[in-house]
Amino acid sequence: MDATFLTSIPWYAWIAIMGVVVFGITTIVGLSIGRNTELSKALAQNAEINQKLVDRLDSMDTRLASLESTLNDIPN
């Protein structure tokens, strides 16, 4: 693009052009922030679910250990 093209655009058209550019930038930034917030929420939910699974596995391990102990105490 040369300077002649840029100077041939009327001043009021620059307002619309800048509006489109600013709107595009704010939309991109807004989407980026929204995705980061959604990602944080999803990670927090995953951490909560993982903790529940670990607790459940620990309780199953305890029950299995008591069952093994009982089976070992039975005479042959």
Side-chain angles (χ1 to χ4, degrees):
M1 290 195 299
D2 59 355
T4 309
F5 172 72
L6 295 177
T7 56
S8 66
I9 298 175
W11 66 270
Y12 51 85
W14 283 107
I15 295 172
I17 292 169
M18 292 307 295
V20 169
V21 169
V22 169
F23 177 75
I25 290 172
T26 55
T27 301
I28 290 170
V29 169
L31 288 175
S32 175
I33 290 172
R35 286 184 184 152
N36 289 339
T37 304
E38 291 174 16
L39 179 61
S40 297
K41 288 179 184 178
L43 289 175
Q45 287 175 343
N46 268 350
E48 183 180 335
I49 291 170
N50 286 342
Q51 185 59 45
K52 288 179 181 179
L53 287 173
V54 167
D55 293 342
R56 178 75 175 153
L57 287 173
D58 285 342
S59 70
M60 289 175 68
D61 189 43
T62 303
R63 289 177 19 205
L64 180 60
S66 68
L67 182 61
E68 287 176 342
S69 173
T70 302
L71 289 176
N72 286 337
D73 292 343
I74 295 175
N76 291 334

